[in-house]
Amino acid sequence: MKKLTAVQFEDYIQKGGSTKPWIVLAVEEGNKLPIAEAYVVKLFKKDHALNDCALASEFIVAELARELDLVVPDSAIMTFSNDFVETLTDEQIKFLEGKQYAPTFSSRLLNSSTLVMAEVGNLSSPAAELAKLFAFDCMVINTDRGGFRDKPNLLVDDDGFTLIDHELCLFFLASSSSTGINKLMKSIKAGNIDMIQYGRHIFYQKLKSYKGKKVHLFNEFEENLSKLNVAGIVKYAQNLEQENIPAGSIDSLNEYLSLLKQNASQYCNILLGLIR
């Protein structure tokens, strides 16, 4: 897991959400010949970052995306040292009050442009690519790609789209009770998914109205899910804990991902039912 130290503030992400992301130059810890690279740093309120497992969610969901052949920016653990903080303006230092920045989540700055909701209907991506992202968001219980905030949380370029912003996923990580995750797994075993939260997904209407054959849309996702390295994801979450990033209920994560992997075909049939 890459660890970075910020060395220079560069700019703000103007379209950032509640975390008001910063762009900083950072160097990799332990590198004898460090080269400063630009990263986007999300600055969560400490309670949200730690008690709500928002930091862990960002890291774990990004790792899951890579496992399932979806594109996300390179991510790294970012730390703001005292030396770096001393280079900031009074306004920036004030903004950091109550924020989690040692450690926090960061991702490599890309040249892709941020997709806005008005552009979603103009995307010409193949239906199978849209279906793969829809399936992934259902899997990680992401209610923030579209949802009630109307945020795509995607970057786009000529090669396709890149997924960003996954703090509001895997709700059960932060839960002190197993009731929610048990209910979710029970519904999946019964062949159901709560449609309320996914009916507002940015690609739901495009998939629902798709005129081609839908039966094969989730084939790639199903194959990747059936090969998911659950043990590797669990180990990744445990490593976050060792880096002082609370990952919450790792046992629930293991049970949930194992269930989906073992029932990949059934799960994708449920998804297919949602868009028919």
Side-chain angles (χ1 to χ4, degrees), residues 5-240:
T5 299
V7 294
Q8 181 176 313
F9 173 86
E10 287 286 286
D11 203 352
Y12 301 96
I13 297 289
Q14 298 301 324
K15 294 183 179 180
S18 60
T19 58
K20 302 293 188 294
W22 289 8
I23 300 173
V24 303
L25 293 182
V27 296
E28 186 171 2
E29 294 181 8
N31 193 329
K32 294 182 179 180
L33 297 172
I35 299 175
E37 296 182 282
Y39 274 75
V40 177
V41 183
K42 300 190 73 170
L43 296 166
F44 300 102
K45 292 180 180 179
K46 285 187 177 181
D47 182 64
H48 182 46
L50 305 178
N51 296 337
D52 294 341
C53 296
L55 276 185
S57 180
E58 286 279 12
F59 280 106
I60 293 170
V61 174
E63 190 67 11
L64 279 168
R66 296 182 190 100
E67 282 275 330
L68 294 169
D69 200 28
L70 288 154
V71 181
V72 291
D74 293 340
S75 51
I77 296 174
M78 178 72 69
T79 295
F80 288 1
S81 66
N82 290 334
D83 289 341
F84 170 73
V85 173
E86 289 176 359
T87 69
L88 301 175
T89 66
D90 290 343
E91 181 182 0
Q92 291 164 346
I93 292 174
K94 183 174 179 59
F95 177 78
L96 289 180
E97 292 179 1
K99 301 295 195 303
Q100 175 66 27
Y101 56 85
T104 190
F105 176 83
S106 66
S107 57
R108 188 185 298 275
L109 179 66
L110 302 178
N111 292 324
S112 308
S113 60
T114 302
L115 183 71
V116 297
M117 285 301 292
E119 299 170 336
V120 170
N122 298 326
L123 284 177
S124 57
S125 303
E129 288 299 306
L130 306 185
K132 184 164 65 170
L133 178 54
F134 176 74
F136 177 74
D137 282 335
C138 289
M139 170 186 167
V140 298
I141 319 150
N142 183 8
T143 59
D144 201 30
R145 200 170 334 268
F148 293 99
R149 301 185 185 189
D150 284 336
K151 292 168 55 182
N153 288 334
L154 291 175
L155 303 177
V156 292
D157 58 23
D158 292 339
D159 295 324
F161 42 75
T162 301
L163 287 61
I164 59 172
D165 291 346
H166 299 109
E167 65 190 84
L168 298 178
C169 299
L170 301 175
F171 71 89
F172 54 80
L173 290 178
S175 178
S176 59
S177 169
S178 60
T179 301
I181 184 61
N182 287 343
K183 181 179 179 181
L184 174 62
M185 291 195 294
K186 183 178 179 180
S187 68
I188 291 172
K189 291 176 183 177
N192 301 307
I193 291 182
D194 182 3
M195 189 59 244
I196 295 175
Q197 56 188 338
Y198 302 117
R200 294 183 64 90
H201 189 276
I202 58 171
F203 294 147
Y204 174 71
Q205 290 300 332
K206 289 178 74 72
L207 292 169
K208 186 78 172 175
S209 60
Y210 178 63
K211 300 302 183 184
K213 285 188 176 181
K214 296 183 179 181
V215 67
H216 300 302
L217 285 180
F218 296 110
N219 282 7
E220 182 182 351
F221 181 81
E222 178 184 334
E223 180 179 357
N224 291 336
L225 180 57
S226 68
K227 299 176 182 177
L228 180 64
N229 181 5
V230 176
I233 297 296
V234 169
K235 180 64 176 177
Y236 186 85
Q238 292 169 338
N239 289 342
L240 290 175

Side-chain angles (χ1 to χ4, degrees), residues 239-258:
N239 289 342
L240 290 175
E241 290 272 357
Q242 294 175 7
E243 298 296 338
N244 296 315
I245 298 175
S249 181
I250 298 176
D251 287 343
S252 292
L253 178 67
N254 184 24
E255 291 176 22
Y256 177 64
L257 295 180
S258 296

